[in-house]
């Protein structure tokens, strides 16, 4: 078990009621980030090409990436922002703590943050 998921944090993570008040997932596949407790859409309806485009946009302009996701998924502004904030940069570690991560990993072993690897 990662060192940050101590029993107290596990208890806090079990209640997601406040998380669902901020982002409406509308029954779509998502994961709650243990680090920030935000629902992150997995965007399974996007093709690999669309995911790579969103990741490229995020590297240069986060707002453009959010606008692209709002139209492509479609989703609200908060849901798009949550996805963009959890996108990992190409060939880098965790977006939150920078810890090295293998390709395709969803959770960082160090900080338990959700990382979407779309590059």
């Amino acid at each position: 078990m990662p060192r940050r998921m101590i029993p107290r944090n596990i208890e806090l993570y079990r209640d997601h009621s406040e998380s669902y008040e901020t982002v409406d997932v509308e029954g779509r596949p998502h994961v709650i980030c243990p680090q920030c407790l935000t629902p992150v859409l997995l965007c399974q309806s996007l093709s690999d090409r669309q995911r790579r485009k969103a990741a490229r946009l995020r590297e240069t302009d986060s707002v453009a990436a959010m606008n692209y996701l709002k139209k492509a998924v479609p989703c609200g502004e908060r849901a798009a922002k949550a996805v963009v904030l959890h996108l990992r940069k190409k060939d880098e570690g965790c977006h939150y703590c920078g810890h090295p991560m293998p390709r395709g990993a969803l959770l960082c072993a160090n900080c338990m943050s959700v990382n979407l690897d779309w590059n």
Side-chain angles (χ1 to χ4, degrees):
M1 179 182 294
R3 67 175 180 234
R4 295 188 191 265
M5 286 304 279
I6 58 177
R8 184 180 70 81
N9 288 348
I10 292 172
E11 285 300 316
L12 291 173
Y13 180 67
R14 285 189 181 150
D15 180 24
H16 301 302
S17 56
E18 288 184 27
S19 300
Y20 289 115
E21 291 174 7
T22 59
V23 176
D24 186 14
V25 294
E26 301 169 0
R28 291 179 281 195
H30 65 283
V31 62
I32 302 286
C33 177
Q35 185 62 250
C36 64
L37 299 178
T38 303
V40 180
L41 293 176
L42 296 178
C43 303
Q44 292 180 332
S45 62
L46 294 181
S47 67
D48 288 339
R49 184 177 181 189
Q50 289 173 311
R51 289 178 184 205
R52 284 191 298 271
K53 181 176 180 179
R56 279 195 311 272
L57 284 171
R58 188 243 188 236
E59 290 180 7
T60 57
D61 185 8
S62 296
V63 175
M66 284 174 43
N67 290 332
Y68 176 74
L69 285 173
K70 285 193 296 187
K71 292 176 186 171
V73 173
C75 63
E77 187 156 336
R78 288 185 176 184
K81 183 177 182 179
V83 171
V84 169
L85 289 176
H86 288 87
L87 284 174
R88 230 172 99 182
K89 292 185 179 176
K90 189 174 184 175
D91 299 326
E92 288 189 12
C94 172
H95 79 91
Y96 186 78
C97 70
H99 189 265
M101 291 181 61
R103 297 271 307 153
L106 186 62
L107 292 177
C108 175
N110 185 51
C111 69
M112 294 300 293
S113 179
V114 170
N115 284 266
L116 300 174
D117 193 6
W118 288 2
N119 289 305

